[in-house]
Amino acid sequence: MPPPKKASAPAPKPPRSTAKKQSSKAGGVTMDVCLRVDSPKIREMEKQAAHRRGFKWALGLIVVICFLALLKITVQESILKNPQFELRDVAVQTSGPLTVEKIVRATLLTRGENLLTINMRALHTRLRQLAPVKDVAIERDFDAGLMTLRITQRQPVAWLDCPKLGMVAGRSEVGYLLDHEAVPFPCDVVTESLTALPVIRYSALAQKTAGVAIQDLQLTSALKLLHELEERFEQGQPQVRSLDIQTPYSMVATFADKSVITFGVDDLDVQLARLDRIRLEARQRRWEIGTLNLLARQNVPITFRQPPDLAGLQPESPVPVTLSKSTSVR
């Protein structure tokens, strides 16, 4: 009995070709078959399809442009041109030598400007560029159309006098003020309160930049001394009028009672404690101090405008003692 024949495997299906041409073998010969059919009718149909696609793209683009234009008009009419968001007034809350008019001019704001379009960062930067300004806070009130500026100014503690650098104390525009952080800034208007400030004279000052702290040991020491002397003035001591930084190691203070006292740059606490003792003694004995040099650690030189009363301070004259011949002293 003949063996059963094996079922032949189904022939694999040829892969679907997406190329324009396909290669096939017939009798060992390779043939290229072009599967794309081209005819005037097909070209006309493809052209019409391309026109339809182009029309759809153009229509979509027109719709997008119309939507953006409508959105722009809506924004302009409802927000940008809305009188509710117009700037009507600027309020400045500050205290210091910088005038309100100059602060408002520095903002570059105009009445009627839209509050939403104001660049707050640029406005903050313009205000901080003013040398007397230490900090800025800005608030917008859309209902009232109000811009509120809260300006923290540097509080001056003294005038800085250095003619070499064009700084003349007590004069506007060329006068410079100092705060407790050694930051100089120009004075626009000299008021009565500013006139009463003490003067720090520093002819050897190398440079100054408005709004930037001066890194100088002598000036820092002078500001510290000025602060200590102002506290003592509140306790009843004479008020300091000027501090003259004469050398790298000494400075001379002139007071309202016409006393002139020399301080060293270092060890201010020790010198001030010595000054307190001398002032107390002078007050009790009604001495009028002329000059005092606290640089000396011992035998402090001091002069008086009037002859001082030294009663009780001079040693008593020794009483002579007569000894007889018979008296013996052991």
Side-chain angles (χ1 to χ4, degrees):
M1 183 176 179
K5 296 183 179 179
K6 296 181 179 180
S8 60
K13 296 181 180 180
R16 183 178 298 177
S17 176
T18 58
K20 295 181 180 180
K21 295 182 180 180
Q22 179 180 358
S23 299
S24 63
K25 293 183 179 180
V29 179
T30 302
M31 298 177 63
D32 293 335
V33 180
C34 181
L35 301 180
R36 181 174 181 179
V37 180
D38 190 12
S39 67
K41 182 65 175 178
I42 293 176
R43 289 195 297 270
E44 182 64 22
M45 293 174 62
E46 291 179 348
K47 185 176 181 180
Q48 293 177 359
H51 287 169
R52 287 194 296 270
R53 287 195 300 270
F55 176 77
K56 290 180 180 179
W57 278 105
L59 182 61
L61 182 60
I62 293 174
V63 171
V64 171
I65 293 175
C66 292
F67 174 77
L68 293 177
L70 181 62
L71 180 62
K72 181 179 179 182
I73 294 173
T74 303
V75 171
Q76 288 181 346
E77 295 297 330
S78 62
I79 298 178
L80 299 182
K81 294 183 179 180
N82 192 335
Q84 182 181 356
F85 301 111
E86 289 183 354
L87 176 63
R88 301 184 184 93
D89 197 6
V90 177
V92 180
Q93 299 177 5
T94 187
S95 176
L98 190 61
T99 61
V100 175
E101 290 76 10
K102 188 168 183 179
I103 294 175
V104 174
R105 287 198 303 269
T107 62
L108 302 180
L109 297 175
T110 57
R111 189 181 298 273
E113 188 175 358
N114 194 288
L115 287 171
L116 294 174
T117 60
I118 295 175
N119 190 331
M120 301 299 289
R121 179 175 296 181
L123 177 60
H124 191 277
T125 301
R126 288 195 296 269
L127 292 174
R128 285 299 302 269
Q129 288 176 348
L130 298 174
V133 174
K134 187 176 183 180
D135 196 13
V136 177
I138 305 174
E139 293 183 0
R140 290 180 291 187
D141 188 348
F142 297 101
D143 294 334
L146 179 65
M147 177 81 72
T148 303
L149 308 177
R150 292 184 175 89
I151 309 296
T152 303
Q153 297 192 40
R154 300 184 182 277
Q155 297 303 315
V157 296
W159 292 92
L160 181 58
D161 187 89
C162 181
K164 180 182 66 175
L165 298 180
M167 295 183 293
V168 181
R171 293 178 56 183
S172 59
E173 297 182 358
V174 295
Y176 273 71
L177 298 165
L178 273 177
D179 69 348
H180 67 281
E181 296 178 351
V183 177
F185 51 92
C187 177
D188 297 328
V189 180
V190 180
T191 61
E192 185 177 353
S193 60
L194 295 178
T195 305
L197 291 175
V199 179
I200 297 179
R201 297 185 178 90
Y202 194 5
S203 58
L205 184 63
Q207 59 181 0
K208 54 91 180 174
T209 302
V212 180
I214 300 176
Q215 304 296 329
D216 185 271
L217 176 61
Q218 287 75 27
L219 187 59
T220 303
S221 182
L223 286 173
K224 179 181 178 181
L225 176 60
L226 181 62
H227 175 70
E228 295 291 339
L229 294 176
E230 288 292 338
E231 288 187 348
R232 283 162 172 77
F233 167 67
E234 296 178 357
Q235 299 173 3
Q237 292 192 17
Q239 185 179 17
V240 61
R241 292 300 187 187
S242 65
L243 276 175
D244 190 356
I245 305 176
Q246 294 184 342
T247 65
Y249 55 85
S250 68
M251 45 192 170
V252 178
T254 303
F255 292 82
D257 64 349
K258 299 181 181 180
S259 59
V260 179
I261 301 178
T262 303
F263 292 88
V265 174
D266 301 321
D267 299 329
L268 286 178
D269 295 336
V270 177
Q271 299 175 68
L272 289 169
R274 194 181 306 164
L275 174 64
D276 292 339
R277 294 196 298 270
I278 296 174
R279 287 285 191 188
L280 179 60
E281 188 73 20
R283 189 183 307 112
Q284 292 176 351
R285 296 182 176 274
R286 297 182 179 179
W287 291 344
E288 296 181 1
I289 299 176
T291 61
L292 176 63
N293 190 346
L294 295 174
L295 278 174
R297 297 182 180 274
Q298 295 180 354
N299 299 326
V300 176
I302 181 172
T303 63
F304 302 92
R305 295 194 302 275
Q306 298 292 335
D309 181 10
L310 302 179
L313 296 179
Q314 295 179 344
E316 296 181 358
S317 302
V319 179
V321 179
T322 304
L323 298 178
S324 61
K325 292 182 179 181
S326 60
T327 305
S328 61
V329 178
R330 295 182 182 180

